Amino acid sequence: MTRSFLLLAGLLLVACGGSDGVSPNDSNRPDLCGNGVIDDGESCDDGNSDDQDACRNNCAAARCGDGVT
């Protein structure tokens, strides 16, 4: 049982791109988010630094309950 679990955990780790969970196309990369182009993993990218518009500075679409008014 334990050996099967470790094997499964190892496969998931490899499939997900590493232990930190950050892939090369992560929307939190400053060289991608904010460039005005919607890259892989981004909901939006308006290319500005206004965190109170429809596209947040982390390239996620603004939504009700996100803590920004």
Side-chain angles (χ1 to χ4, degrees), residues 2-19:
T2 302
R3 188 174 186 178
S4 297
F5 176 76
L6 291 175
L7 179 61
L8 179 60
L11 290 173
L12 287 174
L13 183 63
V14 171
C16 293
S19 62

Side-chain angles (χ1 to χ4, degrees), residues 2-46:
T2 302
R3 188 174 186 178
S4 297
F5 176 76
L6 291 175
L7 179 61
L8 179 60
L11 290 173
L12 287 174
L13 183 63
V14 171
C16 293
S19 62
D20 61 0
V22 177
S23 71
N25 294 325
D26 189 5
S27 63
N28 292 322
R29 286 183 50 190
D31 59 330
L32 294 178
C33 184
N35 64 0
V37 177
I38 299 175
D39 298 297
D40 289 342
E42 295 177 341
S43 299
C44 60
D45 192 334
D46 58 7

Side-chain angles (χ1 to χ4, degrees), residues 27-28 33-34 44-53 55-60:
S27 63
N28 292 322
C33 184
C44 60
D45 192 334
D46 58 7
N48 68 38
S49 61
D50 184 1
D51 203 34
Q52 297 181 346
D53 60 4
C55 185
R56 305 280 313 276
N57 289 341
N58 63 358
C59 293

